[in-house]
Amino acid sequence: MDWQKELIDFYGQENLQEFVAGQGNEWTGENDFQTGRVAMNLDGEWRTAFIADGAPDLNYMTAPMPMPDGLEDEYGRGQVGGTIIGIPDGSPHPAEAWLLVSWMASDTDTLVYMANIVRNVPTTFAALESPDLDVTPQFQTFLDMFADPLSHYKPTTRSVTATRRDRVGPGGLAGRQGHRPRGGAPGGRRRGEQPAGRGADLRGRT
């Protein structure tokens, strides 16, 4: 929270509000990262599918989130959530639905198919090691994070503050290579300039 407050003070609240107001829809081709409005993005593995579909010429790479001081040896781990699939309340055929859900969540060919089509990380080791898995360098980052023994799912908590904090925890970073984003940083700051006392070891863009 201190870092977020410092960031707002650095750019200025009005400048940030104006910048955010102009953002594109995350789930369309107007996504800010895909159009070049932002130079780096914290996102999930599915973004590689959106980029392949909507911005196939985009020159970018992905990387795990950097680790805090003292935990550098754990670089590469991240938050993993797995395939999300469920049965709606009131389903008229819950037993049959459960058979379908359990099959889709554990069948190797199905998981590989979904990984190749929508770029969800397959959630069994058999699927992860399948020779039929279509892997790009950008997608491989997320496969490596899933396989890392230190990767974990976010802890269950009733604390709203803790939940929000965890949502910006370990994840994947995407960064354009050899690209200067359009529009500049809000408030006229020089690109790469950071608030006093804060560094940005965000990897991906070169």
Side-chain angles (χ1 to χ4, degrees):
M1 297 297 291
D2 290 341
W3 181 86
Q4 289 181 332
K5 177 63 166 59
E6 197 171 317
L7 183 69
I8 292 172
D9 292 342
F10 177 73
Y11 283 119
Q13 182 177 350
E14 292 185 0
N15 290 323
L16 283 174
Q17 288 176 331
E18 180 180 356
F19 185 76
V20 171
Q23 67 184 351
N25 188 305
E26 178 183 1
W27 307 111
T28 71
E30 295 302 311
N31 174 275
D32 283 359
F33 181 72
Q34 292 175 213
T35 62
R37 191 167 180 266
V38 297
M40 185 172 286
N41 191 39
L42 169 61
D43 213 329
E45 70 271 16
W46 54 84
R47 182 56 52 191
T48 63
F50 279 92
I51 292 173
D53 179 65
D57 296 327
L58 182 63
N59 184 19
Y60 77 103
M61 193 54 196
T62 57
M65 287 288 289
M67 300 303 297
D69 293 343
L71 295 177
E72 294 87 352
D73 291 344
E74 296 184 14
Y75 179 71
R77 70 172 175 87
Q79 176 181 303
V80 295
T83 304
I84 299 175
I85 185 170
I87 303 171
D89 185 35
S91 171
H93 304 288
E96 292 82 354
W98 169 247
L99 290 175
L100 176 62
V101 165
S102 60
W103 173 73
M104 292 185 67
S106 60
D107 179 72
T108 297
D109 290 341
T110 300
L111 290 172
V112 170
Y113 172 80
M114 293 301 294
N116 290 344
I117 297 300
V118 299
R119 290 306 186 194
N120 282 146
V121 171
T123 49
T124 67
F125 287 111
L128 192 66
E129 297 167 359
S130 171
D132 297 325
L133 202 58
D134 177 25
V135 180
T136 64
Q138 294 85 357
F139 190 51
Q140 184 65 52
T141 299
F142 296 95
L143 299 182
D144 292 341
M145 290 170 62
F146 178 80
D148 192 301
L150 294 178
S151 291
H152 58 87
Y153 184 63
K154 60 186 179 183
T156 301
T157 177
R158 293 185 179 182
S159 168
V160 174
T161 301
T163 301
R164 288 176 177 170
R165 182 173 59 247
D166 191 70
R167 285 176 181 168
V168 296
L173 287 172
R176 295 172 187 268
Q177 295 181 325
H179 174 81
R180 182 178 295 276
R182 299 195 303 271
R189 302 289 182 180
R190 294 192 303 276
R191 217 174 297 278
E193 187 177 353
Q194 300 297 322
R198 297 287 178 180
D201 184 22
L202 299 181
R203 309 180 186 206
R205 296 189 188 278
T206 57

